[in-house]
Amino acid sequence: MPLITRRQFSSQLAAFSLLPTLATHAAAVNDTASKSKFTVQPDWQNVLAKIPEDLLGLSYESAQLGAPYFFCKENTELIQLFRQLSPHGVLRLGGNLSEYTRWSNDPSVIGAPSLLHQAVGADTNSKRKISPSTITPLAIRNLKAFLDATGWRCLYGLNLVNGTPERTATEASFVSATLGDRLIAFQIGNEPDHYVMNGLRPEGYGFQDYFREWSVLHRVVLTALPKARFAGPDIAEDLDWVEAFASQAPEGVELLTGHHYAEGPPTDPSMTLRRLLTPDHEFASRVQRIKRIAEQSRIPYCMAETNSCYSGGKAGVSDVFGSAFWSLEYLLELAQSGERGVYFHGGATSIYTPIAGGSGKSFEPRPLYGGLLLFKELLGSEIVSLQTQTIDSNTTVYAFRNPNRILVINKGNEPATLELEHAMRSIERLTLNAPSLHSTGEVSIGMQPLNEARRAPEWEAQERTHQLIAQPTSASLFRLS
């Protein structure tokens, strides 16, 4: 039977899936010994989906622009980590703090940081009193230089809750003129379906109220910038808002956007690593609905803000090696469903941030970054179906072509051995591994520590063989020829 991924999310893919049950999959994070040996046979002609070259991205709070020397060409450490992650990545600027930004053309307002590359973390309590962040032309010019240095593009969030038509049009005009083709689209507002819950709008506020406000700002931006492009509604969870937005989308809307966090709140003791690595059938149903909305509206969907556990993440879950395994399978699930982009939220020293640092501290990759870095090797490739005779609960396997590769995720304590139908002329292996799923350090990729991953990971050559061996607690990508 075919094995595609750990989650079933479409009737088409279900025909190619052999998945462990919830109980047996949970055993994969129980540190119990397991031996696995099985035969695999990729069907190189049966393409299930193509992974977009620009699928991968990072998300930061718009308030980060209040420190204009964070995203700048002098921040070479961060530039290296961005470039290493993707040659065609997307930086999304938004988050809860985007509703507390204010544009200013006053040249005397610089907002110089008190510490080198002053960092702003993810919002962990949107109901608290928040001081507004001022965004200036200097921040946007520096952002452009940062994007040029990384090769990335930008999805730019505008303030809806406290925005005014005049200020929004002025900000959008300067951003568009400065960023040029580095700008993908504008988003107006962040998680509007949570405005009431967050105390930003009164009880009874619904989609049509939001859409009237959104339309006012959309019109003034479009008047100033007739060729402007937009994305939305950037919801927290209510897909009814996405469906309604798609059905009423006016000129210039090129992306549907929303958010997803696999767990939360972090104070809930049931939010564990085991839960994170367990198949989420409710989310699988949401992905199916998202796919239908995108296909019916002919507007692609982008997961513009996502991560493991909301409110900044959870220690022991979001900052450990197991989160890298979660990110790999999560990205493959969304890629197979046709989503256009997946942007992981973070910043500063947030528990779940892929890259930590700033405010005078060096920038360092977290374990989650390792999963994204291995996934980088799959950008632009095609996912194909895979036949396997046996499989254990600790192991998931995927196959790709252009070039031909097999990914083996082994969460167990024993090596996993795959028997190929034919011996390959050559095999190269790129491995992401750590001592355990709960490791916060000692993560390696391609024979080098992850915290030294500022150069391309090294592939390890193997002898011509019928076997692929994935070491314990590792994700191994095998390149075949």
Side-chain angles (χ1 to χ4, degrees):
M1 296 178 66
L3 175 74
I4 304 305
T5 182
R6 68 188 177 95
R7 292 174 177 169
Q8 292 174 308
F9 57 89
S10 77
S11 57
Q12 176 189 10
L13 296 180
F16 299 105
S17 296
L18 175 62
L19 297 171
T21 64
L22 289 175
T24 58
H25 191 93
V29 294
N30 251 349
D31 294 330
T32 55
S34 173
K35 294 183 179 180
S36 57
K37 186 173 183 179
F38 46 94
T39 302
V40 295
Q41 181 181 349
D43 184 351
W44 303 114
Q45 303 307 311
N46 188 9
V47 176
L48 303 177
K50 181 174 181 179
I51 302 175
E53 291 187 355
D54 57 353
L55 179 78
L56 198 56
L58 298 176
S59 169
Y60 283 75
E61 300 284 341
S62 292
Q64 182 61 77
L65 293 172
Y69 296 100
F70 185 85
F71 293 120
C72 67
K73 66 180 180 180
E74 289 78 19
N75 195 347
T76 55
E77 282 188 334
L78 190 60
I79 287 169
Q80 277 187 306
L81 288 166
F82 270 56
R83 291 179 63 180
Q84 183 70 4
L85 196 59
S86 174
H88 308 291
V90 174
L91 170 61
R92 176 261 185 173
L93 294 167
N96 285 330
L97 300 185
S98 67
E99 307 291 12
Y100 300 90
T101 59
R102 179 183 176 89
W103 174 258
S104 175
N105 281 321
D106 186 345
S108 67
V109 178
I110 299 176
S114 57
L115 294 172
L116 181 64
H117 307 317
Q118 183 76 44
V120 174
D123 179 46
T124 57
N125 181 4
S126 57
K127 288 189 176 181
R128 77 185 194 279
K129 187 174 182 180
I130 298 172
S131 299
S133 296
T134 301
I135 300 175
T136 63
L138 173 63
I140 304 305
R141 288 193 291 268
N142 283 346
L143 174 64
K144 172 60 161 59
F146 180 88
L147 294 172
D148 285 344
T150 60
W152 286 35
R153 296 188 298 156
C154 180
L155 190 61
Y156 191 93
L158 297 167
N159 187 336
L160 185 147
V161 169
N162 297 300
T164 66
E166 180 181 2
R167 199 160 56 230
T168 299
T170 302
E171 179 179 6
S173 295
F174 190 87
V175 169
S176 178
T178 304
L179 299 189
D181 59 6
R182 295 289 180 195
L183 177 65
I184 297 172
F186 292 109
Q187 291 189 133
I188 303 173
N190 177 80
E191 297 189 352
D193 52 326
H194 278 186
Y195 279 174
V196 174
M197 183 181 73
N198 290 333
L200 299 175
R201 289 293 184 264
E203 289 290 337
Y205 182 90
F207 173 79
Q208 291 304 331
D209 302 299
Y210 151 77
F211 193 69
R212 280 192 292 271
E213 292 184 89
W214 185 93
S215 297
V216 170
L217 297 185
H218 168 260
R219 281 195 297 271
V220 299
V221 172
L222 205 59
T223 298
L225 302 165
K227 295 183 179 181
R229 293 293 174 258
F230 300 86
D234 213 34
I235 52 97
E237 58 183 340
D238 194 339
L239 291 181
D240 288 346
W241 286 51
V242 178
E243 192 161 28
F245 186 86
S247 67
Q248 302 176 54
E251 179 184 359
V253 172
E254 291 198 343
L255 286 172
L256 300 174
T257 57
H259 302 173
H260 175 69
Y261 286 88
E263 294 188 342
T267 53
D268 185 343
S270 70
M271 300 300 149
T272 63
L273 183 61
R274 176 184 296 182
R275 178 181 177 129
L276 183 67
L277 296 176
T278 297
D280 185 346
H281 299 294
E282 181 179 349
F283 178 63
S285 298
R286 287 177 57 83
V287 171
Q288 276 285 47
R289 185 179 176 193
I290 288 170
K291 183 177 181 180
R292 289 195 298 270
I293 294 170
E295 288 176 345
Q296 290 169 3
S297 65
R298 297 183 180 180
I299 305 174
Y301 188 90
C302 174
M303 198 67 79
E305 180 183 321
T306 192
N307 216 306
S308 55
C309 184
Y310 63 76
S311 292
K314 182 168 183 173
V317 176
S318 307
D319 58 350
V320 299
F321 185 57
S323 68
F325 287 163
W326 165 76
S327 70
L328 280 167
E329 297 190 294
Y330 176 67
L331 281 162
L332 287 168
E333 179 176 4
L334 297 183
Q336 289 182 41
S337 72
E339 297 205 8
R340 193 66 188 83
V342 186
Y343 312 144
F344 289 81
H345 200 54
T349 57
S350 308
I351 294 172
Y352 60 30
T353 187
I355 302 171
S359 298
K361 297 180 180 179
S362 295
F363 290 91
E364 297 291 341
R366 292 270 182 81
L368 176 63
Y369 181 94
L372 308 186
L373 187 57
L374 185 61
F375 186 83
K376 168 199 174 182
E377 300 295 328
L378 302 173
L379 296 174
S381 64
E382 296 171 318
I383 307 170
V384 302
S385 65
L386 183 70
Q387 299 285 332
T388 183
Q389 290 182 354
T390 60
I391 189 70
D392 73 2
S393 62
N394 288 328
T395 310
T396 46
V397 186
Y398 306 81
F400 311 86
R401 74 175 195 180
N402 294 328
N404 292 352
R405 284 167 293 182
I406 291 178
L407 173 65
V408 185
I409 300 176
N410 178 14
K411 305 181 187 73
N413 293 333
E414 295 290 332
T417 302
L418 282 68
E419 296 281 353
L420 299 173
E421 185 179 18
H422 302 289
M424 299 292 106
R425 292 192 302 274
S426 68
I427 300 174
E428 293 176 289
R429 180 178 65 189
L430 181 61
T431 300
L432 174 72
N433 68 320
S436 80
L437 294 174
H438 305 280
S439 298
T440 56
E442 300 180 273
V443 178
S444 298
I445 182 167
M447 300 182 290
Q448 67 181 4
L450 181 62
N451 61 10
E452 297 178 7
R454 288 171 173 80
R455 56 187 173 85
E458 298 175 11
W459 290 75
E460 181 182 3
Q462 292 189 198
E463 295 181 2
R464 182 180 182 222
T465 179
H466 285 275
Q467 291 187 341
L468 307 177
I469 300 176
Q471 297 304 314
T473 323
S474 71
S476 296
L477 183 62
F478 296 91
R479 188 160 57 193
L480 313 177
S481 62

